[in-house]
Amino acid sequence: MKNILFTIFALFLLSFSLFAQKSIDDSFSQKKMHKDLKLFRDIREKANSGLYKYRSKNEIDSIYNWAENEIKNSSTYRDFYNIIWKLTDFEGSLHNGLNLPKKVNASVKAEKTGYFPFPVKLIEGKLRMNMDSTQIPLGAEILSINNTPIEKVLPNLHKYYTTDGFNKTGKAIGINGSFSYYYRLHYGKQEQFLVAYKTSNEILTQTIQSVSYKKRRENFIKKRHSLSYDKNSYSDIEKNEFYYFEMLENDIAKLTLNTFAIGGNAQDPIHIRYTEFLDSVFTLLKEKKVNNLIVDIRDNGGGTDPNDLVTYSYLSSRNFMENTEAWISFRKIPYWKHIKGEIAFYKKPILKMLYNKELKKIFPLEKEGKYYEDSTSDDHQVRMPKQNAFTGKVYLMISPRVASAGSLFAAMSASEENTIVVGEETQGGYYGHNGHIPLNYTLSKSKLKMFFSIVNLEQDVPKKDNQPIGSGIMPDYEITQSYQDFIKNEDTQLNYVLEFIEKK
């Protein structure tokens, strides 16, 4: 049924209207800011079931009071854009987001100057040059930019990459991939950058001229040093790399799952091929009596049901459901007029009726102003372990890139007693998240496009002492890529797992 909603709603994802704003740095009146801020909050309170998932009423009130005061010192469209981003990030959902209207976005992409030219990467907590240059060498630690220490710069950029709960490791994915763009959004266009950096024990400075939006993207996509190591984290994954299996040694196998975006539903031929692949893998593992299985999901940003659940059924030792609870906060979609799209006005009432009707089917139970799925939902279907489910030792490799369906799979797998989790905290939550069904709204005055997922989910996982509420999936062994391995583009985490197995 969730897929039906996606189909119905696909017609409404784009928004078009007359809008004078052309540049993100243009002036924007405080009166318009206040009106859009009120609308933004009204929509979140009515439609977003995750508003208070991690934040108390007092905390939400407090940050909106901050926003009201911030507007008093604001004068540009970019000022307001950054205020809305901070509110969006504060809620704690990786499915939250904000897009610029078409004209403003086009003007940003056409900019000929203003951008920090070099890709960077966080390595062991330090921001390193991720490109060799005659101005600043590969691997140099960036200490400050334009006299602002980097430890003050980075928190200002975190808001542009939302994560579940209070997670911070996932912010590194945004920083590594879009530092230059985020810097421009927060600090404005810069004609040049005074960079203080460190090589070995020497601290140096260099003045760097800015580049165009296009050039900074080209440097990242084609010239970053780590491209061969992290290409699947920052580009579309090739079909032949969606998933694959390899025997490393007689008693060690590795299953790599880079995405769960494998077909649209259980009847999709692509999904069926995937289940056949899984069955052949786990049949082979049983026949060969393999005792050690590495499951690498470090690049898995999610996908569609039931790929995650079917995969877990080959690792599970228990009966399980996708979630124990799922609810939304409204019976009829609120503020419908602010959802605009390419569809004739006379068809909009029909679409609204269909959408609300489908939501009522999916969430029929009302309890204290919330609308829940019932026992007939696919989400609450009890699933059993596969007959050839793996019973040896599982080494689950995770990273901050793991999100959504990827983190659901990681949470369930991490709950198994025979699983050892290695890597870094995921950006997706262990106990739950907001997901499944997105809503997209356009603010009246700024035309900013806000989106969030409306289903508040509690995942079917046990409580664990090392999994605090509001965190991502925490590793049993926290291992990050070392500086030396970054320079050599070697896999610190995989090498650790292989050595761990050998020692055992």
Side-chain angles (χ1 to χ4, degrees), residues 68-103:
E68 291 282 358
N69 289 326
E70 195 72 8
I71 285 175
K72 296 175 184 177
N73 302 312
S74 301
S75 60
T76 68
Y77 189 87
R78 183 172 60 82
D79 291 336
F80 182 66
Y81 176 69
N82 283 323
I83 290 170
I84 296 298
W85 254 123
K86 192 170 181 68
L87 297 172
T88 300
D89 178 52
F90 186 74
E91 291 174 5
S93 175
L94 64 86
H95 290 108
N96 283 2
L98 188 68
N99 288 331
L100 291 166
K102 189 175 180 180
K103 287 183 180 178

Side-chain angles (χ1 to χ4, degrees), residues 24-25 76 78-79 81-83 85 111 113-116 127 143-160 175 178-193:
I24 194 173
D25 295 309
T76 68
R78 183 172 60 82
D79 291 336
Y81 176 69
N82 283 323
I83 290 170
W85 254 123
E111 288 175 336
T113 60
Y115 292 84
F116 189 77
L127 195 69
L143 301 176
S144 69
I145 298 178
N146 290 345
N147 296 313
T148 303
I150 207 68
E151 58 267 23
K152 290 187 177 181
V153 171
L154 294 181
N156 287 329
L157 311 187
H158 283 170
K159 59 181 172 285
Y160 302 116
I175 297 296
S178 303
F179 174 84
S180 176
Y181 179 56
Y182 291 173
Y183 192 98
R184 186 266 180 268
L185 292 177
H186 184 83
Y187 291 99
K189 287 178 67 176
Q190 309 289 317
E191 291 307 311
Q192 58 186 25
F193 302 89

Side-chain angles (χ1 to χ4, degrees), residues 9 176 212 230 247 252 320 380-381 425 457:
F9 206 61
N176 296 346
S212 67
D230 58 19
M247 288 295 303
I252 305 174
F320 64 95
H380 302 315
Q381 172 191 337
E425 179 188 357
L457 304 161

